[in-house]
Amino acid sequence: MSALASLYPQPLWQWFAQICAIPHPSKHEQALSQHIQAWARSLGLSVVEDRVGNLIIKKPATAGMENCKTVVIQAHLDMVPQKNADKVHNFTTDPIDAYVDGEWVKARGTTLGADNGIGMSSALAILGSNDIKHGPLEVLLTVDEEAGMTGAFGVEPGMLQAEILINTDSEQEGEIYMGCAGGVDAEFSVPVQWQPVIAGSQAFTLSLSGLKGGHSGVNIHLGRGNANKLLARFLANYAKVLQLNIAAFNGGSLRNAIPREAEVTLTLPETQLTELQQKVVEFEAILKQELSVVEPAIKLSLTKVNAPTQVLTSAAAQQLINILNVCPNGVMRMSDEVAGVTETSLNVGVVTTKENSIQILCLIRSLIDSGRTQIENMLSSLAQLAGVKVKFSGAYPGWKPNPESPVMAIVNQTYQDIYHKEPVIMVIHAGLECGLFKKPYPEMDMVSIGPTIRYPHGPDEMVNIKTVGQYWELLLAVLERIPVKT
């Protein structure tokens, strides 16, 4: 952590080192929140924790800028808790083991939390500064952004006085974001019936691992493997011919992360074991051939386990396999208006076996409401054909782009003045909280910026050190250019 704290800009990286040391996965942000509150109050700043746990910290303007428009810098307190299968780590108790690797900061075997820890660190560093010029300032730190946007949903009218909001949750230096996708969760509930295990059966766990995973919005267009879909494909090919019985299917851990790992517990007649082993080798070779460029580390492994007491009936197993195999996944449509940006997508994120059902949790994203509705209709049709239930929940709106945004114009011009090149004005295929803020604050002018973060929502997450400095310089320069109230 000392290596992090010495990076430029030091005030930001010193805060990021502190944040890494305090566990703060989604729905477990309280320890970090209390730490920040105690620190802010020690500086004499106004601190409010609202009814859902969001923090609003206010700082007066520096001398000579009292008449400028009030700005709120916004970030979220939580991080995505993802780790490699061989990594021993408890996200609710263990610190993030962050380290410097050349031009990047990474974490050993887990997500780093640069999403959105860097943005949060920048806001806190500005609050603690004595020499940064700014007008009246508010910092909004929301809870549970990654697991349902609970904090953003809970933001109420009157909590903020700002006319301008700078969201810090973007992940590419040199890009200014003026819009984002909306989304909704879709959960299939597949009923199960059980039967006893046939005497003399062999039991194994078939595991698929080594995938890159990543953000189910930002990375969805990269064609990365989905562990749930690939394992379902194996079962669709071989379950009947090998007389496989399914005792459990579990894969992925977050609906907004492309699943990197999945496993199915199987039983089969001993006479089929040799052929199963052969098919595992053959299927791994097929996947490596198909996905060698995007998934060079893909691995399919078979491990002998104790026999379970029950397995799915053949009808229940076939129903599960059919649903997983046919369920859409990945990019549904690219945007015609914003080149290179995904318009609508679906991620088959989590499969969980329970006593009475198997739950399949997906996340639909779309830049347009009609695109989201179309995927909902597709999944409803699939559920009806399959004879299962699907429910939709947690819908959140997109952030409609405003090409005439005054604050976007300020950020755009400021970037050109500093770096002598034009930034890219973008719409992101991810769920920024700005869309939700527009409901209680419809007139608030918003923009989103950030440093370059690669592979968020997965253990390969990393943040580029140089771009953190560039993001910091841009943010400070923008604050200095905020106009006076009219």
Side-chain angles (χ1 to χ4, degrees):
M1 290 300 179
S2 59
L4 262 65
S6 63
L7 297 172
Y8 170 80
Q10 278 192 318
L12 185 156
W13 285 108
Q14 287 168 358
W15 259 113
F16 188 67
Q18 291 183 60
I19 289 168
C20 287
I22 303 172
H24 58 288
S26 300
K27 303 187 186 300
H28 297 276
E29 307 98 322
Q30 196 57 34
L32 178 57
S33 175
Q34 290 174 352
H35 176 79
I36 292 171
Q37 290 184 60
W39 167 81
R41 290 193 174 100
S42 73
L43 297 181
L45 300 176
S46 167
V47 182
V48 174
E49 181 177 359
D50 72 8
R51 61 181 181 83
V52 295
N54 298 321
L55 295 185
I56 301 97
I57 308 172
K58 299 184 180 184
K59 182 182 180 185
T62 54
M65 300 190 69
E66 294 86 354
N67 293 325
C68 291
K69 292 182 178 180
T70 302
V71 174
V72 55
I73 303 175
Q74 188 268 321
H76 59 83
L77 283 158
D78 59 320
M79 66 171 285
V80 169
Q82 285 274 286
K83 68 183 185 69
N84 290 324
D86 59 353
K87 175 69 174 182
V88 178
H89 186 91
N90 185 333
F91 281 96
T92 63
T93 59
D94 300 338
I96 298 299
D97 188 6
Y99 67 99
V100 177
D101 183 7
E103 299 176 354
W104 301 86
V105 171
K106 304 178 180 179
R108 291 182 175 87
T110 72
T111 37
L112 173 63
D115 172 15
N116 185 214
I118 294 294
M120 181 173 18
S121 297
S122 67
L124 296 172
I126 292 168
L127 286 176
S129 72
N130 294 317
D131 57 356
I132 294 174
K133 296 180 180 179
H134 58 78
L137 191 65
E138 300 175 328
V139 168
L140 171 62
L141 304 179
T142 54
V143 295
D144 198 33
E145 190 269 352
E146 301 288 9
M149 294 198 177
T150 305
F153 273 109
V155 171
E156 297 178 348
M159 292 170 53
L160 304 170
Q161 277 70 55
E163 298 178 57
I164 295 170
L165 182 142
I166 301 175
N167 172 277
T168 64
D169 202 11
S170 297
E171 293 159 358
Q172 181 60 52
E173 191 281 327
E175 295 180 353
I176 303 172
Y177 289 91
M178 63 171 182
C180 71
V184 64
D185 294 341
E187 184 176 8
F188 290 98
S189 180
V190 184
V192 297
Q193 294 82 39
W194 301 99
Q195 64 182 12
V197 175
I198 300 172
S201 296
Q202 300 291 305
F204 294 86
T205 294
L206 177 62
S207 303
L208 194 151
S209 60
L211 301 179
K212 290 181 179 178
H215 193 292
S216 71
V218 176
N219 302 133
I220 199 72
H221 67 291
L222 299 178
R224 293 178 180 173
N226 179 305
N228 293 328
K229 292 287 291 181
L230 295 176
L231 203 53
R233 176 178 164 184
F234 178 90
L235 295 173
N237 287 348
Y238 306 119
K240 283 186 177 180
V241 68
L242 297 177
Q243 302 175 52
L244 302 179
N245 294 294
I246 299 175
F249 190 123
N250 295 287
S253 58
L254 294 168
R255 95 262 192 261
N256 60 353
I258 302 170
R260 299 174 296 107
E261 299 165 348
E263 65 177 32
V264 58
T265 303
L266 305 165
T267 69
L268 75 162
E270 186 173 1
T271 56
Q272 299 293 333
L273 177 56
T274 299
E275 189 173 359
L276 172 62
Q277 293 169 330
Q278 181 181 355
K279 294 301 183 186
V280 169
V281 172
E282 291 176 0
F283 191 68
E284 182 183 74
I286 291 171
L287 295 183
K288 285 184 175 180
Q289 182 181 27
E290 292 180 357
L291 302 172
S292 60
V293 175
V294 292
E295 299 289 6
I298 193 168
K299 182 179 181 181
L300 202 61
S301 56
L302 197 62
T303 306
K304 186 174 178 58
V305 295
N306 294 328
T309 58
Q310 59 184 9
V311 293
L312 297 179
T313 63
S314 58
Q318 192 60 53
Q319 184 182 44
L320 172 66
I321 293 169
N322 287 343
I323 293 171
L324 284 173
N325 195 41
V326 77
C327 186
N329 180 76
V331 175
M332 299 291 107
R333 194 173 193 279
M334 297 298 290
S335 174
D336 293 331
E337 295 184 353
V338 189
V341 174
T342 304
E343 181 177 274
T344 305
S345 72
L346 176 65
N347 180 53
V348 182
V350 185
V351 181
T352 307
T353 299
K354 299 182 178 181
E355 180 62 31
N356 298 315
S357 65
I358 295 178
Q359 308 296 319
I360 304 170
L361 184 58
C362 307
L363 177 57
I364 303 168
R365 299 181 190 267
S366 186
L367 300 180
I368 56 176
D369 290 343
S370 59
R372 188 183 74 190
T373 301
Q374 169 60 9
I375 304 303
E376 289 184 35
N377 290 338
M378 288 174 63
L379 297 189
S380 296
S381 296
L382 171 58
Q384 186 174 356
L385 288 170
V388 303
K389 295 179 179 179
V390 64
K391 66 177 182 179
F392 302 96
S393 63
Y396 56 90
W399 168 25
K400 186 177 179 180
N402 175 17
E404 305 303 319
S405 161
V407 71
M408 186 185 71
I410 293 171
V411 177
N412 188 348
Q413 188 60 55
T414 303
Y415 188 92
Q416 293 183 56
D417 291 345
I418 295 174
Y419 300 112
H420 308 293
K421 60 180 180 179
E422 290 190 17
V424 181
I425 308 301
M426 290 287 293
V427 176
I428 191 171
H429 190 68
L432 299 177
E433 294 166 291
C434 299
L436 288 168
F437 300 146
K438 276 291 186 180
K439 185 175 181 180
Y441 300 96
E443 302 303 318
M444 188 176 283
D445 192 15
M446 302 182 183
V447 71
S448 181
I449 55 175
T452 297
I453 299 173
R454 293 283 182 260
Y455 318 126
H457 297 193
D460 293 330
E461 180 186 2
M462 62 180 81
V463 60
N464 183 271
I465 297 168
K466 179 181 177 180
T467 67
V468 172
Q470 292 173 311
Y471 154 73
W472 172 255
E473 292 166 354
L474 176 63
L475 179 60
L476 299 196
V478 167
L479 291 177
E480 196 168 346
R481 293 188 179 192
I482 296 298
V484 298
K485 299 174 185 177
T486 56

